[in-house]
Amino acid sequence: MPKGRSSNKPSVLAKVKTNKPLTPTEVDSLLAKGKSYFQTRGYSPFPFQENTWRAYLEGKSGIVNAPTGSGKTFSLVIPILLEALGNGDVDRAGLRAIWISPIRALTKEIAKAAHEAISGLGLAWEVGIRSGDTSSSERAKQKRRPPHILITTPESLHLLLASKDHPKFFGKLRAVVVDEWHELMGSKRGVQMELGLSRLRGLVTDLHVWGISATIGNLVAAGKVLLADTIPSDQQVLIRANVDKYTGMQTIMPEEIEKFPWGGHMGITMLSQVLPVVHSSGSTILFTNTRNQCEVWYQKLLDIDDELAGQIAMHHGSIDRELRDWVEEAIHTEKLKAVVATSSLDLGVDFRPVETIVQIGSPKGVARFLQRAGRSGHRPGEDSTIYFVPTHSLELIEASALRTAIDRQAIESVEPMRNCWDVLVQYLVTLAVGGGFKPEEVLPEIRATHCYADLTDAQWKWCLDFITTGGESLAAYDEYKKVTVKEDGLFVVEERRIAMQHRMNMGTIVGSTSMMVKYARGGRIGTVEEYFATQLKPGDTFWFGGKSLEVVRITATELQVKKTKKKPTRIPSWQGGRMSLSSSLSVLFREKIDALKRGEVLDEELAKVKPLTDLQAERSALPSTNQFLIEYFEDKEGHHLLMYPFEGRTVHEGIATLIAFRLSVYQPITFTIAMNDYGFELLSETRVDLETAIGDGLFETANLVEDITQAINTSEMGRRAFRQIAGVAGLVFQGYPGKRKKDRQLQSSSKLFYDVFMQYEPENLLFRQAQDELLHFQLQEERLRETLERIQHQEILWMTPDRATPFAFPIMIDRIRGKFSTERIEDRVARMKLALVAD
Amino acid sequence: MPPTSKKSTTLNDCIPKILHDQTFHLHPHAAIYWEEADTLLVADLHLGKATHFRRHGLAVPTYVQDETLEKLTGLLLDFKPDRLLMLGDLFHSDYNPEWEDFAELVMAFSHVKFALVPGNHDRLTYHQYEKYNIEVHEEPYFEGPFAFSHHPLEKDVLAEAERSRVYLSKNSPSYNLAGHVHPAVMLQGRKDRLRLPCYYFGEQAGLLPAFGAFTGTYTIQPQKGDEVFVLTGDKVMQVG
């Protein structure tokens, strides 16, 4: 393509406008206006609010570290409006500010706050909301006549970039605020945000970029990721609200530890002790860890106390949005006694009226626990109590670790993602749909982001090839069609069909195999996973959203039901619910075990669990912080090999796979792998020679990546990781809603793509990304390496108990099992039976 | 290549299955050699799919098809059958140039009769089949005691079709052999599980595994008494 030619038409990516900064006197007088507006409402601003106003008006960008309910919205809405006042910009048309909110539930509240401030400060501005729920007529209206403040999501921002007149639409933009940045940053939506901002900065000079984040371990780094290299560091600020409410934690103790379960995560045995808490409080949120657990607790609460009927509700991510909105509203207006919820209520509207928070089962992380604790309504400086309900005995140790972690403020960091090729190719096609792009113009913008700071020329070329030729050298008759390169070097999507297909796919950053649950007479209830739906037939009954439902018919995309009086036996389960113990808590958990070993019992949780750890010590051993416990025993199931790194299940999945792979070098063998947050089990039909393997370097970190990559390729894990990537990169096409059948010719599973790439195109960046993500995020390579290094310096406690120990038992009963095998398929088949009808 | 010693080594890789006194050799590469009719049977090649996807902006590597054609070439060379009978979903697209790759194979084996019972994905015009002398039979296609089809036939559909035949077969009802399903089964060990593509034979009907490389599988649940043969890659093994 011709470069450096003097162009006679203006580039599509030309900068649109500039602004002159406010003088110090102007800033002071605007601040005074803000304060007097607050005074008319009967408040004076918090110091962090005023500091943010000033920094904003001085032209700075930054991060506001403030929890929900602290007035964080006003810390940024006000200066946006004050600046407009300062520029005399009170009634002209055009978009001025974008407010990104990762969750739709928040948007209404932000809009309300913005409206209030606009009229209070005497501007004639409009506020608009644009999300997946916004009607197409509303969207069209917003395009013709943009609101001054637009509240939207990262996905919707990209959809706006995919329209041809976006340079004009964003032309008068002054500010972007990213709310709940800590929540977005660790995900691909965070990467979308980085890319979206990189483009907006290219379109508009002097853009204010602000993030709002709850407290995380790496706030400064979080600021750098959002603000990128394009803003000089002396123009970046971090403003802390310091209104974090300290939380006292009270564990609801099982009455008799001897009768309390060793494993499981439901915690139903604690029901009768939780009930008095619900009764004695005006309003309560009970946080559970999975949607299935949420359904079960809701049901059991009603079973045990039918007077709660009509007074309690349920809230989780698979329940229809409208029903959830109703629940949120009802909490807000104090109509409900209690809500059983999942992480779907972690963020969102300010539930000021809620008095009591109950956490059922370990929250697995300090940050999550504090976030949930902060959901109850108390004024700054006032202590509140959050109740912790253990679901099995060893969670008492987690409770103790959690308390220590809060004391030490050991809050987890959120790690931003890097090198997400799927998001990048999606973004490039988005730009190609939205009027086209020139590589030499967008490349510097992309390289200025944290995610793609190390983008090499070769990787960049691969991405461009991928969207233009499908990543292959052009075959003679290849008809690959997506992005075309015009004579002047502009990359564009010319076919309307491709553009439409791309827009449809953009929303699907989370792959969905979910099916809609609907009343046969109409009315949505929510979604269940396809896997659950396939187990049902008409006439079957199940609990969902607190209702007892009977299946009427099952279509390709819908589960049609009616209400029933029958008592159902099934409750749907959803995948991906279980969180892994964070590294902050893992360290403390090992310290607590050490304390128990030394007989040093400092709090009531450890005192309570002591009989159980004594039994563990009697049957096997308790490891001190410089010991590594391995247990081995044989029973009718086979040979059980258990190891206890106490590092959380994701790290254990990696180590277990690695160890299985390294042990399989000695003989062809099949392992089934189970794990929990404390350790993992390798179960085999033949004995493994562990002593030799340890002598040969079983726990060495040399060749870690090579070994684990090989291990992954022989397991299902790689395929799972690839699924999302294929969806984002536009490799799999879900079909247009309601028109699935027509596009059957184009349907294919991501699994098939994975196999095809592994065989024919192992150098494909998307395929490699799947492996990198797996290593980095799922198996947490860094933690894995640290763990192995730790084990190498530990004394090995090799125990051979005659049966399962308290540590082993919960792992052994886990139903979710992985598999690792190096035996020939034929040998394995010879040992197996056909699974006949009904699994 | 010497014309003698036809198929003997290849047959050793197969497991014979007797249906209505005829011998069907089940090959590890998802093809059946029907000895009495000197016919090779395959189903669900799904050729042309890669290009079809690429045309719509989905970047599948094009050489996926090569493997399917190579595998087919190998089987035709080994068995030297008189005929190749394809049970549908031969070409997963409307016309695209991948069809000409297949046509080359058809012309290279000019002594082999090619026959197709079209499936739901076969959208090519009949002109394309005529051009290369590929016989087309609507389903169900009756031959001897067998009814060949792409879709597995419901009992009453099959019975209805049999009634409308000019000559009633003495073997009525015919045994149905079909494709379409891409069958696989789940095998269960003590703690081990494995999902493998398979041949399936029930009392009245059998299914062939998908032949094409770029195809998925669907897990079927056999009933007691059914016969199932799984493909392990190099071997066929009976598991039920």
Side-chain angles (χ1 to χ4, degrees):
Chain A
M1 71 196 73
K3 270 192 188 160
R5 58 208 263 282
S6 63
S7 161
N8 47 4
K9 32 182 177 173
S11 160
V12 272
L13 302 177
K15 304 249 174 190
V16 180
K17 64 173 275 191
T18 53
N19 267 276
K20 67 174 201 320
L22 297 163
T23 65
T25 343
E26 285 171 324
V27 169
D28 286 338
S29 92
L30 288 171
L31 283 177
K33 266 187 199 159
K35 275 192 245 182
S36 76
Y37 162 62
F38 257 47
Q39 263 135 28
T40 60
R41 296 167 65 229
Y43 303 106
S44 50
F46 292 120
F48 87 90
Q49 288 175 320
E50 209 182 318
N51 290 342
T52 311
W53 298 357
R54 177 177 291 281
Y56 183 100
L57 293 172
E58 285 170 356
K60 290 179 178 144
S61 288
I63 296 277
V64 177
N65 167 218
T68 305
S70 61
K72 60 180 186 172
T73 306
F74 279 115
S75 72
L76 282 160
V77 165
I78 300 291
I80 290 169
L81 301 176
L82 289 178
E83 188 194 50
L85 282 178
N87 292 333
D89 180 18
V90 292
D91 54 5
R92 284 192 299 272
L95 179 70
R96 299 300 143 76
I98 296 174
W99 195 288
I100 300 286
S101 163
I103 35 174
R104 283 178 253 177
L106 276 172
T107 53
K108 273 191 231 151
E109 214 169 88
I110 296 160
K112 195 167 152 252
H115 273 301
E116 238 179 81
I118 287 168
S119 64
L121 285 168
L123 284 90
W125 275 20
E126 281 170 30
V127 182
I129 295 176
R130 189 187 185 95
S131 70
D133 295 340
T134 310
S135 69
S136 55
S137 62
E138 178 65 25
R139 283 178 208 211
K141 206 181 104 195
Q142 284 173 352
K143 271 227 182 119
R144 276 199 314 276
R145 198 186 138 75
H148 296 83
I149 299 178
L150 180 67
I151 303 163
T152 188
T153 60
E155 293 85 353
S156 292
L157 175 64
H158 277 246
L159 276 164
L160 286 166
L161 288 172
S163 78
K164 287 205 170 59
D165 53 1
H166 74 267
K168 183 163 169 272
F169 185 85
F170 292 116
K172 293 197 172 99
L173 189 67
R174 295 292 302 130
V176 179
V177 177
V178 185
D179 215 338
E180 313 275 2
W181 172 236
H182 64 285
E183 192 67 27
L184 279 175
M185 186 173 76
S187 71
K188 288 190 181 168
R189 299 176 79 201
V191 178
Q192 271 194 326
M193 204 54 242
E194 288 182 53
L195 285 171
L197 278 171
S198 82
R199 187 75 282 270
L200 292 177
R201 284 197 194 97
L203 285 168
V204 187
T205 44
D206 297 332
L207 189 68
H208 297 272
V209 178
W210 284 83
I212 303 175
S213 171
T215 303
I216 51 173
N218 55 339
L219 265 178
V220 174
K224 295 246 174 290
V225 175
L226 183 70
L227 306 177
D229 291 341
T230 39
I231 298 174
S233 48
D234 63 343
Q235 293 299 303
Q236 302 185 9
V237 291
L238 169 60
I239 296 171
R240 292 180 196 264
N242 288 329
V243 292
D244 276 343
K245 321 157 192 178
Y246 173 66
T247 312
M249 179 185 93
Q250 190 181 328
T251 303
I252 298 181
M253 291 289 175
E255 273 156 11
E256 288 177 83
I257 189 73
E258 291 76 12
K259 290 187 183 162
F260 197 55
W262 288 7
H265 64 279
M266 269 310 162
I268 284 301
T269 46
M270 297 296 287
L271 189 66
S272 58
Q273 281 168 268
V274 173
L275 198 62
V277 176
V278 174
H279 280 306
S280 63
S281 161
S283 57
T284 307
I285 298 178
L286 298 110
F287 279 106
T288 56
N289 286 334
T290 66
R291 285 166 278 191
N292 179 258
Q293 188 186 17
C294 179
E295 293 268 348
V296 171
W297 266 81
Y298 176 83
Q299 214 47 59
K300 297 287 178 188
L301 274 171
L302 287 179
D303 285 351
I304 194 174
D305 181 2
D306 46 26
E307 283 186 13
L308 286 175
Q311 294 193 67
I312 66 172
M314 187 188 335
H315 191 287
H316 65 66
S318 293
I319 290 175
D320 191 65
R321 184 71 250 170
E322 254 178 58
L323 297 177
R324 275 187 278 161
D325 284 346
W326 179 87
V327 173
E328 286 170 21
E329 187 62 31
I331 302 172
H332 204 65
T333 52
E334 300 176 66
K335 281 184 196 144
L336 289 171
K337 177 96 180 144
V339 175
V340 189
T342 63
S343 55
S344 63
L345 269 192
D346 277 2
L347 302 172
V349 256
D350 186 8
F351 299 123
R352 214 172 295 267
V354 173
E355 273 177 35
T356 308
I357 303 290
V358 178
Q359 166 68 42
I360 300 162
S362 166
K364 302 295 177 192
V366 187
R368 187 175 306 110
F369 189 68
L370 289 177
Q371 178 115 19
R372 289 178 176 182
R375 304 307 315 202
S376 68
H378 37 263
R379 276 149 218 92
E382 208 173 282
D383 279 1
S384 80
T385 301
I386 175 165
Y387 292 94
F388 176 88
V389 182
T391 59
H392 61 82
S393 305
L394 293 175
E395 273 191 350
L396 286 165
I397 306 178
E398 285 190 52
S400 174
L402 193 57
R403 179 178 298 111
T404 308
I406 296 170
D407 286 346
R408 295 190 195 164
Q409 287 287 298
I411 296 166
E412 294 86 5
S413 296
V414 175
E415 199 195 344
M417 300 190 85
R418 310 241 16 213
N419 300 325
C420 303
W421 310 120
D422 53 348
V423 182
L424 184 56
V425 298
Q426 187 193 62
Y427 172 64
L428 292 175
V429 178
T430 299
L431 292 182
V433 170
F437 70 93
K438 290 191 175 175
E440 63 275 18
E441 288 181 57
V442 291
L443 179 59
E445 293 174 10
I446 292 166
R447 278 196 174 135
T449 63
H450 176 268
C451 183
Y452 305 104
D454 305 325
L455 178 72
T456 65
D457 290 343
Q459 286 161 341
W460 176 241
K461 185 177 178 304
W462 187 91
C463 292
L464 293 178
D465 285 350
F466 183 78
I467 59 170
T468 50
T469 67
E472 268 181 48
S473 49
L474 272 171
Y477 56 67
D478 193 29
E479 300 186 14
Y480 184 76
K481 279 207 189 80
K482 200 158 212 166
V483 175
T484 350
V485 188
K486 308 284 276 189
E487 257 174 47
D488 59 356
L490 195 68
F491 282 55
V492 287
V493 166
E494 287 185 313
E495 271 192 58
R496 280 194 55 183
R497 187 177 47 80
I498 301 260
M500 201 163 96
Q501 195 172 306
H502 180 70
R503 286 200 191 95
M504 307 283 329
N505 251 356
M506 276 170 74
T508 61
I509 227 168
V510 186
S512 70
T513 49
S514 56
M515 285 176 80
M516 181 76 74
V517 185
K518 268 174 111 169
Y519 288 118
R521 296 166 158 207
R524 288 179 301 182
I525 309 169
T527 55
V528 293
E529 288 190 3
E530 206 173 344
Y531 169 77
F532 176 74
T534 54
Q535 300 174 329
L536 298 172
K537 55 182 191 303
D540 283 354
T541 54
F542 64 101
W543 286 115
F544 181 69
K547 295 175 184 73
S548 136
L549 303 170
E550 181 179 328
V551 179
V552 178
R553 74 181 70 80
I554 303 167
T555 73
T557 54
E558 281 176 17
L559 191 61
Q560 297 184 9
V561 297
K562 63 179 184 193
K563 280 192 189 164
T564 177
K565 291 230 159 60
K566 286 181 224 160
K567 185 131 179 147
T569 47
R570 295 171 210 249
I571 291 181
S573 63
W574 291 265
Q575 282 175 5
R578 283 158 91 174
M579 306 302 289
S580 181
L581 197 66
S582 76
S583 56
S584 302
L585 283 181
S586 300
V587 175
L588 289 164
F589 192 92
R590 294 193 297 272
E591 284 181 21
K592 298 289 175 183
I593 299 262
D594 191 273
L596 282 161
K597 184 187 177 85
R598 282 180 283 117
E600 191 185 294
V601 173
L602 297 169
D603 57 26
E604 52 171 354
E605 287 90 0
L606 294 187
K608 191 84 187 179
V609 80
K610 196 161 184 311
L612 187 77
T613 51
D614 285 348
L615 182 66
Q616 168 71 26
E618 186 193 313
R619 277 196 200 168
S620 165
L622 285 174
S624 67
T625 44
N626 53 24
Q627 288 173 323
F628 182 63
L629 176 64
I630 300 176
E631 292 176 344
Y632 173 85
F633 65 94
E634 193 191 339
D635 66 9
K636 63 178 190 333
E637 272 198 313
H639 296 257
H640 300 266
L641 176 62
L642 293 123
M643 301 190 182
Y644 303 97
F646 302 104
E647 275 289 352
R649 60 186 307 127
T650 55
V651 175
H652 293 162
E653 185 174 19
I655 299 187
T657 310
L658 179 75
I659 300 291
F661 173 76
R662 287 181 175 174
L663 288 173
S664 73
V665 171
Y666 300 91
Q667 77 214 74
I669 192 164
T670 299
F671 290 110
T672 59
I673 303 172
M675 68 224 107
N676 67 7
D677 282 322
Y678 315 131
F680 60 87
E681 178 200 36
L682 300 180
L683 175 61
S684 56
E685 302 210 349
T686 47
R687 194 194 162 93
V688 291
D689 182 2
L690 196 67
E691 290 87 343
T692 308
I694 291 174
D696 291 352
L698 184 62
F699 297 113
E700 261 174 24
T701 47
N703 301 323
L704 172 65
V705 172
E706 293 82 347
D707 284 359
I708 203 140
T709 308
Q710 276 203 55
I712 290 165
N713 284 342
T714 47
S715 79
E716 282 288 314
M717 267 189 281
R719 292 201 181 97
R720 269 189 271 144
F722 187 67
R723 206 175 106 179
Q724 190 197 37
I725 291 169
V728 175
L731 268 180
V732 284
F733 177 52
Q734 316 279 2
Y736 306 112
K739 277 208 234 163
R740 288 193 178 220
K741 228 176 176 177
K742 211 172 166 189
D743 298 291
R744 199 178 40 196
Q745 211 79 342
L746 276 179
Q747 280 180 28
S748 173
S749 71
S750 55
K751 177 179 172 297
L752 209 50
F753 273 95
Y754 184 84
D755 291 346
V756 164
F757 283 142
M758 183 149 83
Q759 199 174 348
Y760 299 101
E761 223 181 280
E763 72 289 352
N764 186 304
L765 277 192
L766 297 172
F767 175 74
R768 297 251 294 272
Q769 182 190 346
Q771 299 194 312
D772 287 347
E773 278 182 16
L774 191 63
L775 266 177
H776 202 69
F777 289 95
Q778 191 177 336
L779 304 176
Q780 304 192 12
E781 184 200 335
E782 283 307 301
R783 268 183 82 189
L784 214 149
R785 192 180 290 278
E786 283 164 21
T787 307
L788 289 174
E789 270 158 14
R790 173 166 63 78
I791 294 171
Q792 285 185 73
H793 290 100
Q794 284 175 321
E795 176 200 344
I796 286 178
L797 265 184
W798 163 258
M799 306 307 293
T800 50
D802 52 3
R803 60 202 154 121
T805 62
F807 284 180
F809 182 76
I811 303 176
M812 293 170 55
I813 59 163
D814 202 308
R815 283 170 301 133
I816 303 164
R817 283 180 173 264
K819 188 188 64 202
F820 183 88
S821 182
T822 49
E823 284 180 288
R824 296 190 329 133
I825 292 179
E826 290 82 9
D827 294 336
R828 289 167 64 195
V829 170
R831 273 204 316 269
M832 291 197 213
K833 279 207 312 268
L834 196 57
L836 290 174
V837 191
D839 206 38
Chain B
M1 156 188 351
T4 53
S5 81
K6 172 175 173 174
K7 303 152 195 169
S8 66
T9 50
T10 311
L11 286 179
N12 285 340
D13 296 335
C14 299
I15 294 186
K17 161 78 187 157
I18 309 292
L19 288 166
H20 283 297
D21 299 328
Q22 311 253 323
T23 314
F24 290 80
H25 298 274
L26 313 180
H27 191 271
H29 291 163
I32 297 181
Y33 178 66
W34 177 11
E35 193 173 324
E36 286 77 3
D38 197 12
T39 292
L40 193 66
L41 290 162
V42 291
D44 299 288
L45 276 74
H46 291 272
L47 299 172
K49 191 171 170 183
T51 293
H52 185 73
F53 272 50
R54 293 176 68 80
R55 242 186 209 177
H56 290 79
L58 303 169
V60 193
T62 40
Y63 17 89
V64 170
Q65 167 153 327
D66 301 350
E67 184 188 308
T68 308
L69 291 179
E70 269 168 39
K71 224 171 62 165
L72 187 58
T73 308
L75 287 164
L76 290 172
L77 287 173
D78 286 350
F79 283 106
K80 304 181 185 67
D82 178 52
R83 175 176 60 161
L84 176 74
L85 177 55
M86 298 172 284
L87 302 184
D89 288 357
L90 166 63
F91 201 72
H92 183 114
S93 178
D94 23 45
Y95 179 84
N96 75 45
E98 280 191 73
W99 175 248
E100 302 305 332
D101 293 346
F102 178 65
E104 247 177 71
L105 179 146
V106 173
M107 289 187 289
F109 289 90
S110 53
H111 53 286
V112 179
K113 289 192 205 84
F114 286 79
L116 170 71
V117 180
N120 49 312
H121 282 290
D122 290 306
R123 302 173 169 184
L124 290 178
T125 54
Y126 276 67
H127 165 71
Q128 292 298 338
Y129 305 130
E130 276 167 24
K131 200 159 81 180
Y132 299 107
N133 283 325
I134 298 169
E135 269 174 46
V136 177
H137 305 285
E138 291 307 319
E139 77 178 14
Y141 166 60
F142 292 101
E143 190 172 307
F146 303 104
F148 295 99
S149 60
H150 172 65
H151 304 90
L153 298 174
E154 298 283 341
K155 266 191 189 143
D156 46 340
V157 175
L158 182 60
E160 178 66 31
E162 300 223 50
R163 274 197 289 281
S164 60
R165 288 174 74 182
V166 181
Y167 304 105
L168 252 175
S169 162
K170 61 177 192 286
N171 291 301
S172 183
S174 302
Y175 191 89
N176 178 215
L177 279 171
H180 187 63
V181 176
H182 304 198
V185 282
M186 181 66 88
L187 296 174
Q188 183 74 57
R190 272 162 78 188
K191 286 270 171 172
D192 197 5
R193 286 179 130 205
L194 213 49
R195 189 196 309 271
L196 293 171
C198 68
Y199 296 97
Y200 161 88
F201 298 98
E203 205 183 323
Q204 287 300 322
L207 294 174
L208 273 73
F211 187 84
F214 190 42
T215 57
T217 55
Y218 173 81
T219 308
I220 57 166
Q221 294 193 325
Q223 313 278 336
K224 227 179 155 117
D226 295 342
E227 287 189 43
V228 175
F229 301 82
V230 294
L231 308 181
T232 65
D234 300 331
K235 278 189 164 185
V236 196
M237 294 173 78
Q238 181 159 14
V239 293

